[in-house]
């Protein structure tokens, strides 16, 4: 075969590199030559003693001697190619040898097997020694090609590491006679189910070259192997096998990955008709095999069965040339699981190529491709045509998956038979997407609500549940006489009195101290002095804004004084209550700016009372202490608890702080027991 010794070296590299770390010294193989003296009438045709294991066959003639050699273990090492070569060099007859060994008995064979008068050599189940020794001897053969039939099967080739490295290092200088073998005469070549070993050469190589350092040897060999392929492309000659018609390279599990490239790049096969590459663990179709018409111009049969192809591969451009012979390609017993109708139509309409892809594990999962395939197979109008009839085996293709229809013929399958269930993982994924989508929508809605009503939420959580949210800014407590000075027009006095002065005992406003001018202004002082004193003595100023307020000179003075106080104290001192709708154009500029800066409360707001309580309450986040009398008063619905509540400041001093008794203010939302629980928890936390 083309560049056979190169291929053998590559295969040997594969074996050596895969087992380098676990290689152990091999057993010594003792070969003992027996002196056989048996004599027959044809003994002069064989070396002395060979008639003990070689027998002349009945089909022998005067011109061709056919011998069958049965090499038993006791004959191991006796059959030697060089010995035979010398003995028959002067004979006038041709030789055929069929050699069968018992339990891998040894014989000695040297490539390129050039010997005068040998035309047929078949070797089975033998251990082949000295196979690459012919190159290292550097002895020119000067013998014309004569071998026509060469067959190696079930043999173990013993490779000497030094011979292999010698060839690898000088691959570009290979002699054509050694590289190509019998390129002029070879018609039939088989190299089937052979393996490789290194014999004692591995142990000797370790000892002599690397002092038993396997890692160093591995690096050296890998380096040599990596250099082989580029160097092989520098070989100046090309092997042309003019008469080779049959090549069988099947069941070679240790074939190099460069096998196809080496064959097609350095060789030519103008007469090859049958090429067997079955059972070689090939994962995909090589480019040289897909475009066979470029490299094998007379190829009629290519066997690629029992490999690992997962796709139906071919080159439709083969029909473009008229001088390309029809090719039958066997892709049966591979791993092809999917067939696309478009590709099948293209293949069926090809005239130059027929592919047998029967006995492949068809996947009949419920997909659009499977439905199209079933419709295609059941279209009887097509299958009466000659080009379709060649692929009638498709009817017998069987499903192997899913289990529910395993073993069912494709021709017997209907689209209704497909198990169109949503895969569990797909179902979980869909459910997860739906759940996450809903959750995202809910979260978005909640976030929008929180952002839109964030102030209302802070107000209600404080007034209804006495909870201060983390986002609430900390206030600095001020020990002032009043919680708020109420500025209002006399026209609104009735409403002000009902809300701020005569508030029911269960109202949260009853716990605040309000300054009202009709009862808290000091006699003897001017109105302006009273306003200034009341504003400064109050933590807040409540502006009861109405049209009457705008028309009152004194009310506007009170507003301006309170506004100045807010600026001076740098806090939201003002609380504005809108009694009615007032056009912005009717408001003075200072009041407009105030309404933009301070949050105002509308009288008709549904949570007016909560907003007002929240605005007036001190919401400090420091520890609060209360004596048992104040707590008892709060829990028994007493209406006053003012001076007994203290706040401990960072300086250790205590100051009074207003607190709201909420035991019966909002009975629908919270009861007395809840108030006690909340206060106890707050005291424990603080």
């Amino acid at each position: 075969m083309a560049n056979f010794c190169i291929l053998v070296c590559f295969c040997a590299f594969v074996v050596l590199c895969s087992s380098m770390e676990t290689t152990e010294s091999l057993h010594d193989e003792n070969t003992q030559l027996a002196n056989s003296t048996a004599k027959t009438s044809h003994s002069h045709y064989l070396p002395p003693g060979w008639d003990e294991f070689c027998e002349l066959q009945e089909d022998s003639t005067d011109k061709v001697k056919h011998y069958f050699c049965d090499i038993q273990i006791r004959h191991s090492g006796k059959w030697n190619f060089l010995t035979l070569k010398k003995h028959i060099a002067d004979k006038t007859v041709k030789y055929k040898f069929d050699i069968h060994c018992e339990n891998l008995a040894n014989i000695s064979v040297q490539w390129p097997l050039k010997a005068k008068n040998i035309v047929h050599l078949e070797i089975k189940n033998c251990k082949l020694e000295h196979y690459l020794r012919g190159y290292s001897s550097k002895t020119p053969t000067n013998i014309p090609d004569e071998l026509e039939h060469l067959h190696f099967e079930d043999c173990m080739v013993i490779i000497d590491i030094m011979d292999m490295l010698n060839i690898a290092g000088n691959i570009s200088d290979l002699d054509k006679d050694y590289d190509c073998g019998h390129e002029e005469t070879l018609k039939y070549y088989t190299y089937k189910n052979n393996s490789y070993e290194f014999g004692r050469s591995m142990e000797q190589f370790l000892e002599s070259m690397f002092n038993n350092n396997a890692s160093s040897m591995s690096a050296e060999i890998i380096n040599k192997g990596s250099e082989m392929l580029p160097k092989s492309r520098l070989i100046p000659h090309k092997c042309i096998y003019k008469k080779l018609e049959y090549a069988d390279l099947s069941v070679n599990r240790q074939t190099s990955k460069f096998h196809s490239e080496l064959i097609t790049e350095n060789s030519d096969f103008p007469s090859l008709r049958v090429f067997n590459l079955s059972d070689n663990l090939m994962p995909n179709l090589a480019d040289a095999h897909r475009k066979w018409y470029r490299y094998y111009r007379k190829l009629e049969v290519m066997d690629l069965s029992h490999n690992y192809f997962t796709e139906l591969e071919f080159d439709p451009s083969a029909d473009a040339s008229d001088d390309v012979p029809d090719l039958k390609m066997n892709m049966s017993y591979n791993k092809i699981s999917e067939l696309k109708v478009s590709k099948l139509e293209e293949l069926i309409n090809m005239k130059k190529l027929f592919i047998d892809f029967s006995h492949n594990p068809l996947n009949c999962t419920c997909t659009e491709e499977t439905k199209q395939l079933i419709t295609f197979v059941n279209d009887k109008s097509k299958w009466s045509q000659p080009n379709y009839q060649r692929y009638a085996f498709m009817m017998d293709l069987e499903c192997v998956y899913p289990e529910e229809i395993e073993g069912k013929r494709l021709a017997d399958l209907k689209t209704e038979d497909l198990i169109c269930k949503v895969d569990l993982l797909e179902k979980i994924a869909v459910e997860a997407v739906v759940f996450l989508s809903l959750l995202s929508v809910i979260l978005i809605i909640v976030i929008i609500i929180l952002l839109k009503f964030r102030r209302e939420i802070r107000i209600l959580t404080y007034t209804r549940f006495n909870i201060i949210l983390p986002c609430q800014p900390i206030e600095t407590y001020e020990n002032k006489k009043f919680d708020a000075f109420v500025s209002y027009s006399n026209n609104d006095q009735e409403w002000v009195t009902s809300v701020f002065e005569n508030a029911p005992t269960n109202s949260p406003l009853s716990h605040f101290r309000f300054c009202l001018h009709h009862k808290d202004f000091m006699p003897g002082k001017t109105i302006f002095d009273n306003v200034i004193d009341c504003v400064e003595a109050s933590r807040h100023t409540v502006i009861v804004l109405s049209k009457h307020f705008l028309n009152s000179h004194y009310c506007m003075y009170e507003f301006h004084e309170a506004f100045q106080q807010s600026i001076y104290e740098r806090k939201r001192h003002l609380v504005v209550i809108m009694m009615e709708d007032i056009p912005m154009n009717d408001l003075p500029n200072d009041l407009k700016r105030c309404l933009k800066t301070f949050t105002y409360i509308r009288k008709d707001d549904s949570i007016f009372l909560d907003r007002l309580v929240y605005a007036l309450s001190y919401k400090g986040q420091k520890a609060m202490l209360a004596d048992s009398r104040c707590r008892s008063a709060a829990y028994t619905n007493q209406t006053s608890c003012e001076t007994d509540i203290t706040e401990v400041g960072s300086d250790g001093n205590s100051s009074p702080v207003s607190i709201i008794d909420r035991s019966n203010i909002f009975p629908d939302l919270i009861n007395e027991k809840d108030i006690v629980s909340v206060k106890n928890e707050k005291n424990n936390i603080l």
Side-chain angles (χ1 to χ4, degrees):
M1 195 58 189
N3 305 287
F4 182 72
C5 70
I6 302 177
L7 294 177
V8 169
C9 285
F10 269 112
C11 296
F13 273 116
V14 172
V15 176
L16 180 61
C17 294
S18 63
S19 60
M20 184 61 61
E21 295 182 359
T22 58
T23 303
E24 297 179 357
S25 60
L26 303 176
H27 295 293
D28 292 340
E29 299 179 0
N30 298 322
T31 58
Q32 298 177 354
L33 296 177
N35 295 321
S36 177
T37 57
K39 296 182 180 181
T40 65
S41 58
H42 300 283
S43 60
H44 64 283
Y45 288 112
L46 295 174
W50 281 38
D51 54 357
E52 180 182 348
F53 46 82
C54 292
E55 180 179 352
L56 188 67
Q57 300 299 293
E58 293 181 357
D59 61 346
S60 297
T61 65
D62 293 339
K63 294 182 178 180
V64 180
K65 302 299 181 183
H66 185 189
Y67 286 95
F68 177 81
C69 299
D70 185 13
I71 311 297
Q72 302 291 322
I73 295 298
R74 66 179 183 274
H75 305 135
S76 186
K78 291 184 179 181
W79 200 100
N80 188 295
F81 182 79
L82 293 182
T83 301
L84 178 65
K85 175 181 177 179
K86 294 177 182 179
H87 184 79
I88 65 176
D90 57 351
K91 304 299 180 184
T92 57
V93 297
K94 303 299 181 182
Y95 286 84
K96 292 183 178 181
F97 284 95
D98 291 338
I99 306 169
H100 291 204
C101 297
E102 178 189 57
N103 298 325
L104 291 176
N106 297 348
I107 65 172
S108 178
V109 177
Q110 289 189 11
W111 181 264
L113 300 172
K114 285 290 187 76
K116 189 177 179 180
N117 296 325
I118 298 181
V119 296
H120 176 107
L121 183 60
E122 180 176 302
I123 303 174
K124 293 183 179 181
N125 201 39
C126 297
K127 185 178 291 186
L128 310 181
E129 295 190 316
H130 313 129
Y131 196 84
L132 300 179
R133 191 65 54 83
Y135 175 77
S136 59
S137 64
K138 299 292 185 181
T139 302
T141 58
N142 297 322
I143 299 176
D145 298 342
E146 290 196 52
L147 197 60
E148 298 177 359
H149 181 113
L150 180 59
H151 187 118
F152 294 94
E153 186 174 353
D154 301 327
C155 294
M156 180 182 291
V157 182
I158 306 300
I159 302 296
D160 187 284
I161 294 178
M162 294 304 299
D163 292 340
M164 182 184 69
L165 294 179
N166 191 20
I167 294 175
N170 301 279
I171 195 77
S172 59
D173 300 327
L174 276 180
D175 178 75
K176 184 177 182 181
D177 197 34
Y178 185 84
D179 184 21
C180 301
H182 299 262
E183 61 173 332
E184 296 287 339
T185 58
L186 195 62
K187 297 179 180 179
Y188 179 100
Y189 176 77
T190 297
Y191 192 79
K192 181 177 182 179
N193 195 29
N194 299 298
S195 58
Y196 307 89
E197 281 194 4
F198 297 95
R200 295 184 59 192
S201 66
M202 180 176 290
E203 179 182 359
Q204 296 170 354
F205 186 73
L206 281 170
E207 292 177 352
S208 61
M209 299 294 294
F210 298 99
N211 297 321
N212 287 319
N213 190 338
S215 60
S216 299
M217 182 181 72
S218 176
E220 174 71 13
I221 293 176
I222 291 173
N223 182 57
K224 290 284 186 181
S226 63
E227 296 175 356
M228 276 191 71
L229 187 62
K231 285 185 176 181
S232 67
R233 294 192 170 108
L234 301 177
I235 297 176
H237 57 264
K238 192 169 187 176
C239 300
I240 303 176
Y241 294 87
K242 300 177 181 179
K243 297 182 179 180
L244 185 64
E245 296 183 358
Y246 180 92
D248 185 353
L249 300 178
S250 61
V251 202
N252 288 308
R253 303 302 181 86
Q254 297 174 339
T255 302
S256 166
K257 66 179 181 179
F258 307 117
H259 185 272
S260 299
E261 289 86 343
L262 285 170
I263 290 178
T264 55
E265 289 180 11
N266 296 338
S267 305
D268 193 14
F269 305 88
S271 302
L272 187 63
R273 297 183 182 277
V274 179
F275 197 6
N276 188 353
L277 291 166
S278 63
D279 204 6
N280 280 338
L281 306 181
M282 298 168 63
N284 47 52
L285 195 62
D287 186 66
H289 304 149
R290 185 185 296 104
K291 300 179 179 179
W292 84 95
Y293 50 88
R294 296 184 180 180
Y295 305 99
Y296 312 105
R297 293 179 292 277
K298 292 187 178 181
L299 192 63
E300 298 174 359
V301 177
M302 180 181 288
D303 191 351
L304 297 168
S305 62
H306 297 277
N307 281 296
Y308 285 168
F309 301 151
T310 58
E311 296 183 22
L312 188 61
E313 301 180 72
F314 58 89
D315 182 8
S317 60
D319 278 356
S321 179
D322 295 332
D323 59 350
V324 175
D326 295 349
L327 175 66
K328 294 181 179 179
M329 184 179 290
N330 186 358
M331 285 190 180
S332 61
Y333 296 100
N334 273 275
K335 305 295 181 182
I336 301 172
S337 59
E338 295 182 2
L339 297 173
K340 295 184 178 180
V341 173
S342 59
K343 208 163 188 177
L344 290 174
E345 291 274 14
E346 191 175 24
L347 175 62
I348 290 173
N349 290 319
M350 288 188 66
K351 298 179 180 179
K352 298 294 185 179
L353 177 64
F354 168 78
I355 300 179
D356 178 6
F357 50 87
S358 60
H359 302 288
N360 273 279
L362 195 61
N363 186 343
C364 298
T365 303
C366 182
T367 62
E368 284 301 318
E369 288 80 5
T370 304
K371 293 177 182 178
Q372 293 175 8
L373 180 62
I374 293 174
T375 304
F376 174 75
V377 170
N378 289 310
D379 188 355
K380 300 186 183 300
S381 62
K382 292 183 176 181
W383 294 98
S384 59
Q385 303 174 26
N387 55 335
Y388 279 82
Q389 289 178 359
R390 297 184 303 163
Y391 290 90
F393 65 84
M394 287 183 58
M395 307 293 177
D396 297 323
L397 291 178
E398 295 182 353
C399 300
V400 298
Y401 185 84
E403 295 181 359
E404 291 82 355
I405 55 176
E406 182 180 0
K408 196 163 187 177
R409 293 173 64 246
L410 194 60
D412 300 332
L413 198 61
K414 306 297 181 185
T415 54
E416 297 79 14
D417 299 328
L418 299 180
I419 312 299
C420 296
K421 296 179 180 178
V422 179
D423 187 81
L424 179 60
L425 292 178
E426 294 179 355
K427 185 177 180 181
I428 293 175
V430 171
E431 292 178 350
V433 170
V434 172
F435 173 76
L436 291 176
S437 300
L438 291 175
L439 182 61
S440 300
V441 171
I442 294 172
L443 287 176
I444 291 172
I445 294 174
V446 170
I447 291 172
I448 293 174
I449 293 174
L450 291 175
L451 292 175
K452 184 176 179 61
F453 301 101
R454 59 187 180 277
R455 180 168 180 81
E456 287 76 6
I457 292 172
R458 289 201 302 266
I459 291 171
L460 292 175
T461 53
Y462 178 78
T463 59
R464 302 298 178 96
F465 306 105
N466 198 24
I467 296 175
I468 300 176
L469 297 180
C471 56
Q472 172 63 44
I474 299 175
E475 297 180 6
T476 303
Y477 180 78
E478 296 175 289
N479 187 11
K480 293 192 176 184
K481 181 178 180 180
F482 300 105
D483 290 301
F485 166 61
V486 182
S487 176
Y488 60 93
S489 169
N490 288 331
N491 293 311
D492 300 318
Q493 182 172 348
E494 183 178 353
W495 181 85
V496 170
T497 302
S498 65
V499 173
F500 296 99
E501 185 176 7
N502 299 327
T505 57
N506 61 349
S507 171
L509 291 179
S510 64
H511 302 288
F512 291 98
R513 294 164 295 181
F514 296 107
C515 178
L516 303 174
H517 63 76
H518 67 270
K519 70 180 183 67
D520 291 313
F521 274 14
M522 296 292 294
K525 285 187 177 182
T526 66
I527 293 177
F528 300 107
D529 290 337
N530 272 306
V531 169
I532 294 172
D533 292 341
C534 288
V535 169
E536 291 180 351
S538 303
R539 289 194 299 114
H540 296 281
T541 295
V542 177
I543 303 296
V544 181
L545 185 60
S546 65
K547 292 179 180 180
H548 301 296
F549 185 94
L550 296 175
N551 296 326
S552 171
H553 174 73
Y554 294 108
C555 288
M556 292 304 297
Y557 176 77
E558 291 174 356
F559 160 71
H560 284 291
E561 183 62 29
F563 189 47
Q564 293 296 325
Q565 188 69 16
S566 292
I567 296 173
Y568 174 74
E569 295 182 354
R570 296 183 180 180
K571 70 183 187 65
R572 296 181 180 273
H573 180 85
L574 275 172
V575 178
V576 180
I577 298 175
M578 294 288 290
M579 298 293 290
E580 56 189 319
D581 291 331
I582 302 174
M584 292 297 291
N585 293 332
D586 295 344
L587 298 175
N589 291 332
D590 288 344
L591 196 52
K592 286 181 183 179
R593 288 195 297 271
C594 176
L595 294 179
K596 291 180 180 180
T597 305
F598 298 93
T599 302
Y600 59 86
I601 305 172
R602 297 183 63 87
K603 174 187 173 183
D604 57 356
D605 196 318
S606 59
I607 58 171
F608 165 77
L609 190 59
D610 294 280
R611 290 184 185 276
L612 184 58
V613 170
Y614 182 79
L616 298 177
S617 299
Y618 167 68
K619 297 172 284 298
Q621 297 184 7
K622 300 176 182 179
M624 299 179 66
L625 301 175
D627 61 16
S628 59
R629 180 175 57 82
C630 177
R631 296 181 186 178
S632 176
Y635 297 157
T636 56
N637 294 331
Q638 293 182 15
T639 60
S640 177
C641 183
E642 299 178 357
T643 58
D644 293 326
I645 304 300
T646 59
E647 178 189 39
V648 180
S650 59
D651 56 358
N653 298 323
S654 60
S655 56
V657 61
S658 298
I659 189 169
I660 302 172
D661 182 6
R662 299 174 178 80
S663 58
N664 56 3
I665 297 174
F666 305 107
D668 294 337
L669 298 178
I670 190 166
N671 55 39
E672 180 176 309
K673 185 181 295 185
D674 295 327
I675 292 293
V676 175
S677 176
V678 169
K679 289 187 175 183
N680 287 337
E681 289 183 10
K682 184 174 181 182
N683 289 333
N684 290 335
I685 293 173
L686 297 176

